[in-house]
Amino acid sequence: MTDGLPPLLARLESPLSTDGYAFVPAGEMLPLLERYGLREWDSFAASWNRLGLDRYMADGGRYRRRRHATFAISADGVQRKKHQPHYQSRDYNELNGGIERWFRAVEPETGAHPALLAIMRLMHRIVSDLTDPGSLPDTWHTEIHQFRIEALEGNPGLPTPEGLHRDGVDWVMVVMIRRENVMCGETAIHDLQRNLVGSFMLDQPFDTAIVNDNRVYHGVTPVRPLDPSRPAYRDVLVVTFRHQ
């Protein structure tokens, strides 16, 4: 690490290199993000209260809210792209893949928020460090997804309704924003032979999972309300990087 970053970054990148995934607890993630300009977290997290209903759920569910945006990220900086659909082939998403899905766009102030920029800059550093120099792109195609998974009594919310899966990208980062009145929601990581290699819970704000999508599958168990009389939901930010 030539820029004086603390050993936390090296400790994060080590399991990504060896295992294809890393769980980064909030206490380690927060100081890294602060080095990349994190501030005004509360206003960033509040934007999850303004998501749109995901109307593309092939299972008929109405438990997922989201917004979506795309960016071009390089050593020169972060550039937001024109709004475009999210597409996954059915090879990667048997439930909802195979069609262009036009989600509500991430709000302009959220897309330019210092918290989001810090997350994307840190992720750019990580994936650039871990990509073979011979195949390192000048510019990464980056997508961000704001997700809220809602849970009701007798009707759990499914963070990964497609089940154990890969996203069809190169790298995936999942940052916990907030858990409100929910239980469960454990992340499981499997190798390419679908053998379980690790599991953990994104529980506190800033708890983060990073996966090499070429090397592992991931999935999350359903979330259920602790108190059925109160709203129950799980908010996460998903950031994906792939070669343009």
Side-chain angles (χ1 to χ4, degrees), residues 1 5-16 32:
M1 304 304 150
L5 281 175
L8 284 174
L9 186 56
R11 294 213 303 270
L12 184 161
E13 291 180 353
S14 178
L16 278 168
L32 284 173

Side-chain angles (χ1 to χ4, degrees), residues 172-243:
V172 182
M173 171 187 273
V174 184
V175 182
M176 173 55 61
I177 305 298
R178 183 180 181 186
R179 288 170 59 99
E180 178 65 29
N181 186 38
V182 292
M183 56 182 168
C184 305
E186 183 179 56
T187 299
I189 306 294
H190 292 242
D191 64 19
L192 295 182
Q193 290 72 48
R194 296 182 179 261
N195 300 308
L196 179 67
V197 294
S199 63
F200 49 84
M201 182 81 76
L202 299 181
D203 184 47
Q204 300 299 317
F206 300 106
D207 280 354
T208 298
I210 304 174
V211 302
N212 181 335
D213 198 56
N214 295 305
R215 292 182 54 189
V216 296
Y217 290 88
H218 63 280
V220 183
T221 61
V223 294
R224 294 175 169 81
L226 288 165
D227 179 354
S229 69
R230 297 193 295 112
Y233 53 86
R234 178 184 188 264
D235 290 351
V236 300
L237 172 71
V238 175
V239 181
T240 66
F241 274 62
R242 67 170 171 81
H243 287 65

